[in-house]
Amino acid sequence: VLSGKGGVGKSSVTAQLGLALSLLNKKTGILDVDLTGPSMPHLLSVASARVTQGGGGWQPVTVHDADAAAGVAALSCMSLGFLLGGRGDAVVWRGPKKTAMVRQFLGDVEWGALDVLLVDTPPGTSDEHIALAEALQQPALAGRLAGAVLVTTPQAVATADVRKELNFCRKTRIPLLGLVENLSGFVCPHCAHCTNIFSRGGGALMADDYSIPLLAAVPVDPQLVSLLEDGRRPVYPPDTDVTLAATAPPEADDNAPLVEKYRACSLCPIFMDIARKIIAAPPENGSATESHT
């Protein structure tokens, strides 16, 4: 999951894509290589977890186990955030150490058999991106790299930077699965009406210019923020623009797994549709399958 610009929501897109794939019964891993700003543990409500060492390498942190009855596959995560003393600890590393860490993540984490491995990246086209491109295109991993999902916001200043990331993908021969226009509107917490406060359509124009699929335009939903920050199940006012069959009954348990509470979010159907499009995408370089990366 890539973008040439910071603050466009790559991590939230990656987290929701992981939850959506899990709800589609795809066993998924999330690798967070944003080494200086590892936010994935916090977004997935596993910030207090710690990585353990197994016989085959590091064991990723389990976000939730599989639930065969509900058709939900397991989701796991690996991030430098699990290895730091606290969330406020700064990572001050030069390029070679970042590159070594990315290679260690790709080589020493025992994921087991996965359907999909998502990689959350930092902004720009820095050492982490080059290390990823080199490692994932090794002969030993031939056919494992399905492609990249680009994330932008609607404004021209954002799409201009994301175009650089798109050109990076083409120069490094990374297939493009599509583009997500994030922050495309704001869902009012009172009436659930969506207002385009950041404009709209910049992602569609960019996708058209480069002949790549526009996977979705994703609005800002404060209910998602409450879910990821405080663990509160999304609840929308009655008779609003948001109508969800998955809206939880009043007696619903807020101690339920994150993936179960995410079903009640207005963004869940959007990301499940994105996930279906990615799964159905023509395999230009093969697809993500069994993984020890």
Side-chain angles (χ1 to χ4, degrees):
V1 180
L2 300 166
S3 178
K5 188 170 181 61
V8 299
K10 289 182 301 301
S11 295
S12 67
V13 166
T14 306
Q16 292 184 84
L17 192 52
L19 293 169
L21 286 163
S22 176
L23 287 169
L24 292 173
N25 205 23
K26 297 294 183 182
K27 187 177 181 183
T28 303
I30 296 179
L31 176 58
D32 182 3
V33 298
D34 190 347
L35 302 180
T36 58
S39 57
M40 202 55 64
H42 183 73
L43 291 176
L44 295 174
S45 302
V46 288
S48 60
R50 287 292 175 263
V51 171
T52 58
Q53 186 77 25
W58 283 337
Q59 304 296 306
V61 169
T62 299
V63 179
H64 62 255
D65 292 314
D67 184 346
V72 176
L75 178 64
S76 55
C77 177
M78 183 64 193
S79 170
L80 185 62
F82 296 128
L83 306 176
L84 299 176
R87 196 177 177 205
D89 288 4
V91 176
V92 186
W93 289 354
R94 294 186 184 275
K97 191 164 185 179
K98 289 182 179 181
T99 298
M101 188 78 253
V102 170
R103 288 175 176 164
Q104 190 170 1
F105 274 159
L106 290 171
D108 294 346
V109 178
E110 193 174 37
W111 295 101
L114 294 177
D115 294 308
V116 181
L117 177 65
L118 299 170
V119 183
D120 182 36
T121 65
T125 53
S126 55
D127 302 278
E128 295 94 325
H129 299 79
I130 297 169
L132 274 170
E134 291 176 347
L136 292 175
Q137 292 177 337
Q138 292 178 36
L141 295 177
R144 300 293 185 92
L145 179 58
V149 173
L150 295 177
V151 182
T152 187
T153 52
Q155 310 96 311
V157 67
T159 57
D161 287 339
V162 178
R163 288 172 193 268
K164 299 172 186 176
E165 196 79 43
L166 190 150
N167 288 322
F168 169 83
C169 290
R170 292 193 165 167
K171 287 180 179 179
T172 54
R173 300 185 305 280
I174 296 175
L176 293 165
L177 296 175
L179 179 72
V180 173
E181 182 182 283
N182 200 27
L183 310 185
S184 183
F186 172 77
V187 179
C188 174
H190 301 291
C191 68
H193 177 72
C194 186
T195 303
N196 298 322
I197 58 175
F198 295 115
S199 78
R200 188 181 177 91
L205 289 173
M206 179 179 167
D208 186 59
D209 286 346
Y210 285 87
S211 300
I212 59 175
L214 178 67
L215 298 173
V218 182
V220 179
D221 185 354
Q223 294 288 346
L224 175 71
V225 178
S226 297
L227 171 62
L228 299 181
E229 291 286 339
D230 305 318
R232 292 202 299 268
R233 188 187 296 269
V235 177
Y236 299 92
D239 302 321
T240 66
D241 290 355
V242 177
T243 54
L244 293 172
T247 298
E251 66 274 13
D253 181 11
D254 259 354
N255 292 320
L258 175 66
V259 67
E260 180 59 33
K261 290 184 281 189
Y262 181 64
R263 287 181 187 269
C265 181
S266 71
L267 302 185
C268 180
I270 297 175
F271 274 90
M272 291 189 72
D273 184 56
I274 295 173
R276 291 187 188 98
K277 290 176 181 177
I278 291 173
I279 293 168
E284 295 181 52
N285 274 7
S287 59
T289 54
E290 183 177 339
S291 178
H292 179 76
T293 58

